[in-house]
Amino acid sequence: MIAACLISFAVTALVGGRAILPALRRLKAGQSIREDGPKWHAGKSGTPTMGGLMFILGIAVAVLIAGWGEMSRGVYTHLYVFAFAIVFGAIGFFDDYQKVHKHQNLGLTALQKFLLQVAAALAFLALMRLEGMLTPELYVPFLNVYWHLSWPVYLVLAAFIIVGTVNAVNITDGLDGLATTVTVPVALFFVSVATWWGLTQLGIFAGALLGGLLGFLIYNAHPAKVFMGDTGSLFLGGAVAGLAFAFDMPLVLAFVGIIYIIETMSDIIQVTYFKLTHGKRIFKMAPLHHHFELCGWSEIKIVVVFTCISLVFCALAYFGVVNRFAFA
């Protein structure tokens, strides 16, 4: 797990910075900024996007090298999760390419994204069930009990959780380093759980995810030299959701993904209230990070506060699941 983290960090930081970032600049893969966003974000227009390719490459190299021993024994769990995240990253890449090609902040339609994501979620769930890694017994953290569901109900709920998580991470990616830093504690949570339960293969992927994010943060921290784009945010959403289901405890996402949930709910509340009141708003701007920006908070302060909240809830989640199994 440590090797996976270090390899991913090194590849992301070195190859990403020396090869991928210059390539994105040469391709003029600049981000178009939303016209209805904060006015000072206009200065970020043209910043290279699709930077998620950096940590995707770093993670790919790490899971292959550090996971070779597991693969030689016929264990491919970490590759399943990585492949699942890659599918979402590919959806995001196509969306980013459309935006860059058309030079506007519009890519795939909402319906196109939704259908592709549901198809990817159902395919992954089918694979997990086929490999015997998934059960309709829904584990409840803290209570340490299981709720039995029928397979049809479980699959519908699972697909909803996966698609919701992926899009929630995408919504969170709105400030320099925000989605990156709030996901670092999430990756650390899965590394810790994998270590405690002896699930090395999943720990390898989680460790690679942690290292890749830390390597990417070198370029994504404020002021960002590159954005992860939908390529990166959808990959991250797939990685987080994939790990939760690979550990067979999707409800833990309610804790480790607290920032993703808050950001998404602020968006839903704002839109719903706006429509019901014919133009009134609860927040100055949604999602929530923009509200705090308009309240005078700096990007760095928002990122630090949100990351601390993520860290606290990930720590709580660890104590909520740590007694599920005996130490292996």
Side-chain angles (χ1 to χ4, degrees), residues 32-303:
S32 297
I33 303 301
R34 285 174 50 187
E35 294 180 0
D36 58 345
K39 291 183 174 57
W40 50 89
H41 280 210
K44 299 182 180 185
S45 182
T47 300
T49 188
M50 294 190 286
L53 292 170
M54 293 183 180
F55 56 75
I56 291 174
L57 174 64
I59 293 169
V61 173
V63 296
L64 290 175
I65 295 177
W68 188 256
E70 295 293 323
M71 289 185 287
S72 66
R73 290 190 289 272
V75 180
Y76 303 101
T77 311
H78 59 299
L79 289 184
Y80 294 155
V81 180
F82 176 68
F84 176 62
I86 277 289
V87 171
F88 281 96
I91 296 172
F93 178 83
F94 185 76
D95 193 38
D96 282 335
Y97 178 79
Q98 291 287 92
K99 293 175 184 176
V100 170
H101 181 68
K102 295 178 180 178
H103 299 288
Q104 57 184 344
N105 198 28
L106 296 171
L108 295 172
T109 66
L111 180 60
Q112 288 172 332
K113 284 185 184 179
F114 176 75
L115 293 177
L116 288 171
Q117 291 170 6
V118 169
L122 292 176
F124 176 71
L125 293 168
L127 176 62
M128 291 291 99
R129 183 182 180 184
L130 184 65
E131 291 291 318
M133 297 172 59
L134 202 63
T135 68
E137 306 291 332
L138 197 62
Y139 174 70
V140 183
F142 294 99
L143 298 181
N144 213 35
V145 298
Y146 293 83
W147 289 341
H148 177 75
L149 301 175
S150 66
W151 271 113
V153 172
Y154 181 88
L155 291 175
V156 171
L157 176 63
F160 173 79
I161 291 173
I162 290 172
V163 174
T165 300
V166 170
N167 286 286
V169 176
N170 182 247
I171 289 173
T172 303
D173 182 35
L175 297 179
D176 294 356
L178 181 58
T180 307
T181 55
V182 299
T183 307
V184 166
V186 180
L188 187 58
F189 163 80
F190 285 115
V191 169
S192 302
V193 173
T195 302
W196 183 249
W197 291 345
L199 298 175
T200 307
Q201 67 278 13
L202 291 176
I204 288 171
F205 178 75
L209 177 63
L210 176 61
L213 289 172
L214 293 175
F216 181 64
L217 197 57
I218 295 172
Y219 309 101
N220 188 231
H222 184 73
K225 299 179 181 68
V226 64
F227 300 139
M228 68 173 67
D230 284 1
T231 304
S233 62
L234 295 189
F235 175 90
L236 286 186
V240 171
L243 281 168
F245 278 92
F247 278 102
D248 200 14
M249 53 177 188
L251 292 185
V252 79
L253 291 169
F255 297 92
V256 301
I258 186 64
I259 294 298
Y260 311 143
I261 294 171
I262 291 173
E263 290 274 65
T264 303
M265 289 306 300
S266 69
D267 221 17
I268 293 172
I269 290 170
Q270 182 84 325
V271 172
T272 303
Y273 188 76
F274 184 86
K275 290 181 177 179
L276 291 176
T277 59
H278 304 289
K280 294 183 179 179
R281 293 176 172 84
I282 291 179
F283 305 105
K284 293 184 177 181
M285 185 176 290
L288 193 60
H289 55 258
H290 287 324
H291 171 77
F292 285 116
E293 273 193 288
L294 294 178
C295 287
W297 287 29
S298 68
E299 287 194 47
I300 293 176
K301 180 178 179 178
I302 296 169
V303 169

